[in-house]
Amino acid sequence: MQRSVLLLSRLYTRRSLWPQWGAPLVSPSQLPRPPGLPSPNRGYSSNSGTESRKVVVVGLPNPVIWVRSRIYFFLIRAYFDREFNIEEFTDGAKQAFTLVSKLLSQCKFDALQNLISSELLQDIKEKCSSLSDNHRNALAAHSDEIMYTTTGDVAIYYDNNGKKFVSILMRFWYLTCAELPDESLEGTKVFQFIMGDETTKNTKRLLTANYEFRREFTQGVKPDWIITRIEHSKLLD
């Protein structure tokens, strides 16, 4: 449990990604890219002999959201936390998303007590209890199958008691091989990958999830980020 608490106490990342406008574009073929140029794309590939199939998820940046978010990140560093770094935060958020989604799929709610807010925990318990086994399995996101990550809304606010808060919404797109009926997840992307030989096929779906992280910056309060909102499209809305 201590490791889980520390996970949200300090968030890390490898690089910053541009927020996107709308859903990502998905291409079944690998997109060429100049050598050495960093890219927010994340691909999933499967090899069968000499044949290679790859799904590339490409985010479309919205310049207005990108600029607005960067202004908020500047204000956070200037007035709340001089060491705040969105690159580090994004990586930590991905780790937290992987851990929390796994615990949700396993219905290990006691392990979530120091990771998500008490109000959210009660709501999540009720929603998860009504899900089928296959739908619960689809909640779990493995780190190597997170295709795209971006920031959403960023907010700085004070409550009536003068407490200071910062909230950052993170959006994730991830692949799952959970068996789900087509009609239950209308609007999701479905891909088939050939594994080994032509008779073995693996179907994966591209699902989306929104996780909101909040931290209180009131003097004397522990510097911990906690999840206050969880949405898995068509699973936990």
Side-chain angles (χ1 to χ4, degrees):
M1 178 60 67
Q2 183 65 25
R3 185 178 72 85
S4 300
V5 175
L6 292 176
L7 183 64
L8 287 177
S9 298
R10 195 67 180 171
L11 302 175
Y12 296 95
T13 194
R14 299 182 183 86
R15 66 178 185 273
S16 176
L17 300 179
W18 277 45
Q20 74 160 38
W21 185 17
L25 298 178
V26 182
S27 171
S29 59
Q30 186 173 4
L31 301 180
R33 178 164 55 94
L37 179 64
S39 170
N41 301 350
R42 179 66 191 274
Y44 182 92
S45 62
S46 171
N47 296 323
S48 176
T50 59
E51 181 181 11
S52 177
R53 301 192 178 196
K54 185 160 186 171
V55 172
V56 178
V57 179
V58 183
L60 295 178
N62 183 328
V64 175
I65 296 178
W66 189 89
V67 171
R68 184 178 62 188
S69 298
R70 265 51 193 177
I71 293 175
Y72 274 110
F73 299 151
F74 169 79
L75 294 175
I76 293 172
R77 288 193 299 271
Y79 297 102
F80 297 93
D81 183 1
R82 293 182 179 179
E83 297 182 357
F84 177 81
N85 186 304
I86 187 55
E87 297 178 353
E88 296 178 352
F89 181 91
T90 301
D91 188 58
K94 289 172 66 176
Q95 295 177 41
F97 168 56
T98 302
L99 173 62
V100 171
S101 65
K102 179 181 178 181
L103 294 174
L104 286 175
S105 69
Q106 298 172 346
C107 292
K108 294 183 177 179
F109 302 115
D110 291 341
L112 293 169
Q113 289 183 359
N114 291 322
L115 298 175
I116 70 178
S117 66
S118 56
E119 298 85 357
L120 177 61
L121 180 58
Q122 183 60 38
D123 182 54
I124 286 294
K125 283 183 179 180
E126 297 176 358
K127 290 182 177 180
C128 286
S129 299
S130 63
L131 294 177
S132 65
D133 291 341
N134 287 338
H135 281 74
R136 276 197 296 269
N137 291 336
L139 295 175
H142 301 285
S143 59
D144 59 347
E145 293 195 335
I146 298 176
M147 297 291 101
Y148 190 78
T149 305
T150 185
T151 54
D153 295 332
V154 182
I156 298 174
Y157 59 96
Y158 297 78
D159 67 6
N160 294 331
N161 297 320
K163 296 181 179 180
K164 300 178 289 186
F165 298 91
V166 171
S167 66
I168 301 176
L169 180 67
M170 299 298 298
R171 293 172 175 165
F172 306 94
W173 282 261
Y174 66 101
L175 289 174
T176 179
C177 58
E179 296 181 2
L180 300 169
D182 293 338
E183 64 273 10
S184 66
L185 295 177
E186 182 180 356
T188 61
K189 301 292 184 180
V190 182
F191 307 98
Q192 275 196 339
F193 302 92
I194 297 178
M195 301 292 187
D197 55 62
E198 293 291 334
T199 62
T200 304
K201 293 185 178 181
N202 186 21
T203 301
K204 289 183 177 290
R205 293 179 181 272
L206 182 66
L207 303 181
T208 63
N210 296 326
Y211 279 52
E212 184 179 69
F213 296 82
R214 185 186 69 186
R215 175 181 166 184
E216 182 178 351
F217 281 89
T218 307
Q219 187 174 3
V221 176
K222 292 182 179 180
D224 294 340
W225 291 90
I226 192 168
I227 297 173
T228 56
R229 174 181 165 190
I230 293 178
E231 295 174 347
H232 284 253
S233 180
K234 308 297 182 179
L235 297 172
L236 293 176
D237 291 323

